[in-house]
Amino acid sequence: MSSPEFKNPVVKWIDHRLPVFSFMHHELHEYPTPRNLSYLWNLGSLAGLALVTMIVTGIILAMHYTPHVDHAFESVERIMRDVNHGWLIRYIHMNGASFFFIVVYIHIFRGLYYGSYKAPRELLWILGVLILLLMMATAFMGYVLPWGQMSFWGATVITNLFSAIPWIGDSIVVWLWGGFSVDNPTLSRFFALHYLMPFLIVGVVILHIIALHRFGSNNPLGIDVSGKQDTIPFHPYYTSKDLFGAMVFLTIFASAIFFYPNFLGHPDNYIPANPLQTPAHIVPEWYFLPFYAILRAIPDKLGGVLMMFGAIAVLFVLPWLDRSPVRSGRFRPLFKMFFWVLLADCVLLGYLGGKPAEGIYVMLSRLATAYYFIHFLVILPLLSVVEKTRPLPQSISTPVTGGGMVSAPAAKRGKADV
Amino acid sequence: MFKRINQTICAGGIAMLACVGVMATAAITPAMAAGGGGDIKDHEWTFDGPFGYFDKASLQRGFQVYREVCSSCHGLEYIAFRNFADLGYSEGEIKAIAAEYEVMDGPDEEGEMFTRNAIPADRVPSPYANQNAARASNGGAYPPDLSLIAKARPNGANYLYSLLVGYKDAPHSDEVPDGMYYNTAYSGNLIAMPQPLYGDDIELAGGGDTSIEALSEDVVTFLAWAAEPEMETRKRTGIAVMLFLFVMCFVSYGSMRYIWADIKKSKA
């Protein structure tokens, strides 16, 4: 933690009184980072980029949007047609939500595979799950704002879930709505909260980063940094890598915005909300489909709601379910296999969430839901005990530099991996 | 070396699978929403794909079809006359088109509402005062506003085209109730809208093919424009943005490799 010597006298003067430049130097420049991070470690900075993009475009949209049931839909169309580059800002925001979730979901599965939730990073992980929850609430309320058919009916279905709470459920729903159905008070408060929550996310993201910088990033080997030879300064190595990642991300993001802006949306949301006409199929946005599938898989309403929230809740306690001392899935042959099953299971749940709840889909949803919970509540605790893990390398720099330090088990493992 | 490749494959695998999952779920959702029974034909449109554009002559013909046929029941509430500049009309022509419509204005100095000829800043007036009036005149069915119709239906342009040319005799004539019509594209095959186009319905201002297929294609092109008037600008901007980002990908990749060179060397 040596203080850097600043040459610029103004910077020096300020830093002496308010050490922001020292802070940035420590956390963004010399911040020691494992030298072996793969491209999967780009997703954190990409999530930050997505969050900032959403906040900037969102503030601009809020300048032109009218949160009133009689004007909301039209004000969005005015943004699309009459505001200078309004179509661009709105399409960035609309697709930005989807891309934020894509990035965050990959980020989460990265953490799952490499055991990034294990000691001493439990709180870092929990804060991440909290961010996911806040994102989901924010995205749900944002989707209501254009006041199209899916906005209205999605809001109706999801808010109605709270009526499943025994005794006080119905009162809670009326309290959430601010009336006796989803109506103008609901829209106004959703707008207010949709504007508020991203800043709560920023707050939790700051905590997430503080917790991250306490012990530094996990890495593909999942072993602790053993010394200076294992790390490189964040700048310029990972700043340059994050910049490249950002450019690739922006290229994919831009191709959606400019060429297929409505691909991830639902056409029904271009029909103004009509409380008297229910759409043929009410489906949430794609990023909620796995949870929607879990909700519908349970024949009991309260049970479904509990399972849906349970799917997130189980992530909060994950660090204490998986007790294996080995972090990285690379050295856990059984865990690795089950990880891919879990990923396939989540994709399957997403597929089923978009299907009508009938016939074979119901049975498949139940099986997939069961596996999801069995994975976390049975398989992971069991694997912690029974799995025979592969030998770990001695240090990060040993396998990376590949010098004469490779131990016999490590060499064997190298072959086995091929 | 092999481990390195394995690691990359594994990392890529997670990312790829997540992406594929996302795309797969996204792709099936609209397909599912289409419902059963509709037979949608794939048609080629000038506005398809990243280089898509609107054919101005077709837009003008389509507007004429809208004006002389559709507009008796369907509104176009988000389109103002000034937007017709996109169709290739001059300022004078737009003024002339607007002047053919009457809009309600007011209150004037005496507090009275009055009608006047439309100006380019006015929106295209809707045929009915409100939804109830529209339903009352159409046997209970509401003719939806057409400004967004091409975006508000799955596979919008192809669906609208298939609908317009999809009026057929029902396989068994007794299946069609009064006030309903048989249509191969409509979900459930029974639609409340009578067949709007038969071919040779109107005489096109600039001459041209007036077969049902040609008129349908023109009016769908017009409706696709009405739903996404920004489309040409969007796609053209997109091409420039993509070129810029491709260059930036190479530049940032090169700079990363340059910066990492010493680390990579110590690795080998």
Side-chain angles (χ1 to χ4, degrees):
Chain A
M1 292 292 278
S2 61
S3 263
E5 278 300 311
F6 295 111
K7 291 204 173 64
N8 186 316
V10 179
V11 169
K12 214 169 180 167
W13 189 90
I14 294 175
D15 197 67
H16 185 64
R17 287 150 182 85
L18 180 72
V20 282
F21 295 101
S22 294
F23 174 79
M24 288 196 294
H25 183 82
H26 288 313
E27 303 304 329
L28 294 171
H29 192 156
E30 70 176 8
Y31 173 60
T33 313
R35 56 194 294 154
N36 61 334
L37 300 186
S38 73
Y39 279 110
L40 281 173
W41 267 260
N42 276 56
L43 276 304
S45 74
L46 291 183
L49 176 66
L51 177 61
V52 171
T53 307
M54 293 304 280
I55 289 177
V56 171
T57 51
I59 288 173
I60 299 170
L61 287 174
M63 295 173 188
H64 300 280
Y65 170 76
T66 311
H68 187 286
V69 289
D70 293 338
H71 306 290
F73 189 89
E74 191 187 356
S75 73
V76 172
E77 273 313 304
R78 287 201 71 114
I79 290 170
M80 292 298 288
R81 291 159 193 268
D82 292 338
V83 172
N84 289 338
H85 290 94
W87 58 267
L88 177 58
I89 295 158
R90 194 226 169 188
Y91 276 156
I92 291 175
H93 198 74
M94 197 172 115
N95 286 281
S98 285
F99 277 80
F100 198 0
F101 273 98
I102 293 175
V103 163
V104 162
Y105 281 155
I106 299 174
H107 189 61
I108 291 171
F109 276 102
R110 192 286 318 272
L112 286 174
Y113 185 81
Y114 292 107
S116 302
Y117 46 84
K118 293 187 183 182
R121 297 186 182 82
E122 299 97 322
L123 282 178
L124 171 61
W125 171 262
I126 288 173
L127 289 166
V129 180
L130 190 60
I131 294 172
L132 174 66
L133 260 185
L134 287 169
M135 275 177 67
M136 294 173 110
T138 310
F140 162 65
M141 288 192 258
Y143 193 59
V144 176
L145 302 185
W147 210 242
Q149 273 289 70
M150 276 304 160
S151 299
F152 179 86
W153 290 99
T156 303
V157 168
I158 301 300
T159 48
N160 256 314
L161 295 180
F162 291 90
S163 72
I165 302 170
W167 307 107
I168 51 168
D170 289 327
S171 316
I172 286 184
V173 173
V174 170
W175 177 72
L176 285 175
W177 285 339
F180 298 100
S181 67
V182 174
D183 208 332
N184 202 46
T186 325
L187 179 60
S188 335
R189 64 188 54 187
F190 277 20
F191 177 57
L193 294 173
H194 182 71
Y195 204 115
L196 166 73
M197 296 188 80
F199 297 98
L200 300 183
I201 295 179
V202 170
V204 184
V205 165
I206 290 171
L207 295 178
H208 190 68
I209 294 171
I210 294 174
L212 170 71
H213 282 221
R214 181 74 180 84
F215 296 102
S217 295
N218 185 25
N219 65 81
L221 295 175
I223 56 175
D224 286 328
V225 166
S226 61
K228 270 201 153 14
Q229 72 283 5
D230 287 350
T231 65
I232 45 179
F234 190 78
H235 180 75
Y237 295 106
Y238 285 107
T239 42
S240 66
K241 195 173 178 180
D242 279 348
L243 181 71
F244 170 57
M247 290 305 146
V248 173
F249 169 72
L250 287 178
T251 307
I252 303 168
F253 187 22
S255 65
I257 292 165
F258 289 103
F259 303 120
Y260 302 99
N262 292 304
F263 177 75
L264 293 165
H266 197 293
D268 276 21
N269 228 28
Y270 284 109
I271 304 170
N274 182 354
L276 300 176
Q277 193 175 35
T278 319
H281 300 283
I282 302 174
V283 277
E285 290 278 83
W286 69 265
Y287 39 80
F288 291 136
L289 289 176
F291 301 98
Y292 196 54
I294 292 175
L295 170 76
R296 295 190 308 178
I298 313 299
D300 174 64
K301 188 173 175 183
L302 179 60
V305 174
L306 289 176
M307 291 295 259
M308 185 176 71
F309 285 107
I312 299 282
V314 77
L315 295 176
F316 278 108
V317 292
L318 175 61
W320 296 276
L321 293 172
D322 177 5
R323 306 304 301 257
S324 171
V326 175
R327 292 198 193 100
S328 175
R330 198 181 285 180
F331 305 108
R332 304 184 59 190
L334 288 174
F335 170 87
K336 189 193 273 186
M337 197 182 74
F338 284 111
F339 167 84
W340 290 108
V341 176
L342 176 72
L343 184 54
D345 187 61
C346 291
V347 172
L348 176 66
L349 279 170
Y351 167 80
L352 294 167
K355 290 285 172 190
E358 59 194 31
I360 182 82
Y361 301 129
V362 178
M363 186 44 75
L364 282 174
S365 300
R366 287 181 187 159
L367 290 174
T369 302
Y371 179 79
Y372 182 90
F373 286 97
I374 289 171
H375 181 92
F376 287 108
L377 298 174
V378 179
I379 295 176
L380 289 187
L382 216 60
L383 282 186
S384 322
V385 184
V386 302
E387 187 176 34
K388 198 173 171 309
T389 57
R390 290 176 182 160
L392 294 173
Q394 285 163 339
S395 78
I396 291 173
S397 54
T398 312
V400 170
T401 52
M405 299 278 289
V406 181
S407 60
K412 211 169 117 199
R413 176 182 42 73
K415 251 177 237 153
D417 265 0
V418 179
Chain B
M1 183 63 204
F2 285 122
K3 199 155 49 51
R4 179 87 200 143
I5 293 169
N6 185 42
Q7 171 189 343
T8 315
I9 291 172
C10 177
I14 297 182
M16 286 280 286
L17 229 123
C19 284
V20 166
V22 163
M23 293 304 170
T25 31
I28 48 170
T29 315
M32 179 221 70
D39 174 26
I40 314 297
K41 294 179 201 42
D42 268 335
H43 193 79
E44 275 198 21
W45 304 99
T46 61
F47 48 85
D48 282 339
F51 298 97
Y53 64 96
F54 292 121
D55 175 34
K56 289 204 163 52
S58 179
L59 283 178
Q60 293 193 3
R61 292 194 297 269
F63 171 51
Q64 199 190 337
V65 176
Y66 167 76
R67 183 152 62 152
E68 295 185 23
V69 182
C70 320
S71 73
S72 53
C73 300
H74 293 278
L76 205 59
E77 62 176 324
Y78 298 122
I79 298 293
F81 292 105
R82 63 186 156 81
N83 298 135
F84 289 145
D86 291 359
L87 274 52
Y89 290 117
S90 69
E91 211 173 312
E93 286 171 315
I94 291 170
K95 276 186 183 155
I97 291 169
E100 292 170 29
Y101 290 79
E102 283 199 329
V103 292
M104 176 79 83
D105 201 350
D108 63 12
E109 285 160 7
E110 275 82 46
E112 303 293 329
M113 301 302 281
F114 60 94
T115 54
R116 58 165 174 78
N117 290 340
I119 55 169
D122 286 313
R123 304 244 187 126
V124 176
S126 292
Y128 301 105
N130 51 55
Q131 214 186 99
N132 286 1
R135 283 189 192 279
S137 312
N138 289 282
Y142 171 58
D145 186 86
L146 294 185
S147 334
L148 278 165
I149 202 79
K151 274 209 279 195
R153 297 290 180 276
N155 198 2
N158 287 327
Y159 168 74
L160 294 173
Y161 180 82
S162 306
L163 190 78
L164 288 172
V165 301
Y167 285 89
K168 298 274 150 48
D169 289 328
H172 306 286
S173 54
D174 55 348
E175 275 181 6
V176 182
D178 229 22
M180 299 297 265
Y181 305 87
Y182 186 82
N183 189 300
T184 52
Y186 196 69
S187 170
N189 296 135
L190 291 176
I191 186 169
M193 173 170 76
Q195 181 166 355
L197 293 172
Y198 290 87
D200 301 324
D201 309 77
I202 61 172
E203 204 165 305
L204 290 168
D209 190 354
T210 55
S211 67
I212 180 169
E213 288 82 9
L215 291 181
S216 301
E217 185 175 303
D218 289 336
V219 79
V220 170
T221 303
F222 173 73
L223 293 175
W225 165 81
E228 300 188 303
E230 89 295 342
M231 190 217 68
E232 285 187 352
T233 322
R234 167 160 59 78
K235 288 182 176 171
R236 249 182 275 130
T237 314
I239 301 287
V241 169
M242 294 306 282
L243 286 175
F244 172 78
L245 286 173
F246 278 135
V247 172
M248 284 308 288
C249 281
F250 280 107
V251 170
S252 57
Y253 181 73
S255 104
M256 178 187 73
R257 289 304 296 249
Y258 178 79
I259 288 166
W260 279 74
D262 53 331
I263 302 278
K264 297 270 172 198
K265 212 181 291 165
S266 74
K267 199 181 290 182

